[in-house]
């Protein structure tokens, strides 16, 4: 499986994973003093939307990509929204934006995956960038899976 197929498979699995989170787990804290599952999932669409709208359109214009938003503010606003929304609303938001991101990634030609990108003072390939996003998801999904193991 090439890098693109691995990333796309990850996004398909992420959508299914989020759609299958139990109602019992949804408002459970991933650890004492940490976010709930709802808040963890709720912060992902904001980052997906940033990537989809602010970075992917500029990928191949050979310009530095915009710095990300201030993480603390974006995460807290997203977590607050997830506390106020139903599981159905937060899940639908995740699925919608992640599906759009999946399609945008799927449409990037394979030969572009090893081209260099500049974000701030960092230079990396598209494959490395998307791998980093995948690892971010996997970190949070492993936290959620650990809840199931504790039951």
């Amino acid at each position: 499986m090439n890098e693109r197929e691995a990333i796309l498979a990850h996004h398909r699995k992420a959508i299914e994973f989020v759609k299958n989170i139990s109602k019992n787990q949804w408002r459970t804290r991933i650890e004492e003093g940490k976010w709930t599952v709802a808040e963890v999932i709720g912060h992902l669409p904001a980052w997906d939307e940033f990537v989809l709208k602010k970075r992917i359109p500029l990928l191949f214009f050979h310009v530095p990509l915009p710095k990300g938003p201030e993480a603390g503010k974006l995460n807290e606003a997203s977590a607050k929204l997830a506390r106020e929304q139903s599981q159905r609303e937060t899940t639908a938001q995740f699925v919608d934006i992640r599906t759009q991101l999946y399609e945008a990634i799927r449409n990037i030609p394979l030969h572009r995956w090893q081209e260099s990108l500049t974000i701030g003072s960092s230079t990396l390939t598209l494959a490395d960038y998307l791998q980093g996003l995948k690892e971010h998801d996997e970190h949070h999904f492993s936290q959620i899976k650990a809840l199931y193991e504790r039951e």
Side-chain angles (χ1 to χ4, degrees), residues 42-150:
H43 93 287
L44 297 174
W47 289 105
D48 286 358
E49 186 169 22
F50 171 75
V51 171
L52 183 65
K53 294 187 175 171
K54 303 286 187 187
R55 289 212 169 136
I56 287 182
L58 299 175
L59 284 178
F60 305 110
F61 287 101
H62 304 289
V63 296
L65 297 177
K67 286 179 65 174
E70 202 280 299
K73 288 181 182 177
L74 182 71
N75 288 346
E76 189 47 47
S78 299
K80 181 181 183 298
L81 182 61
R83 288 190 291 273
E84 297 167 354
Q85 290 179 320
S86 69
Q87 181 176 355
R88 179 181 298 168
E89 290 170 309
T90 302
T91 299
Q93 183 181 22
F94 174 85
V95 169
D96 178 54
I97 195 73
R98 185 56 64 101
T99 300
Q100 290 177 54
L101 182 59
Y102 172 90
E103 288 300 322
I105 292 168
R106 191 174 67 81
N107 288 322
I108 297 171
L110 195 54
H111 71 274
R112 298 278 196 171
W113 281 66
Q114 295 306 318
E115 288 184 22
S116 293
L117 312 172
T118 301
I119 302 172
S121 61
S122 299
T123 300
L124 66 166
T125 66
L126 174 65
D128 292 336
Y129 175 67
L130 294 175
Q131 180 64 29
L133 298 178
K134 176 180 176 260
E135 289 168 5
H136 175 248
D137 279 355
E138 290 171 341
H139 164 72
H140 288 305
F141 295 163
S142 69
Q143 292 173 314
I144 294 167
K145 289 173 187 175
L147 289 176
Y148 293 103
E149 294 168 4
R150 284 185 250 164

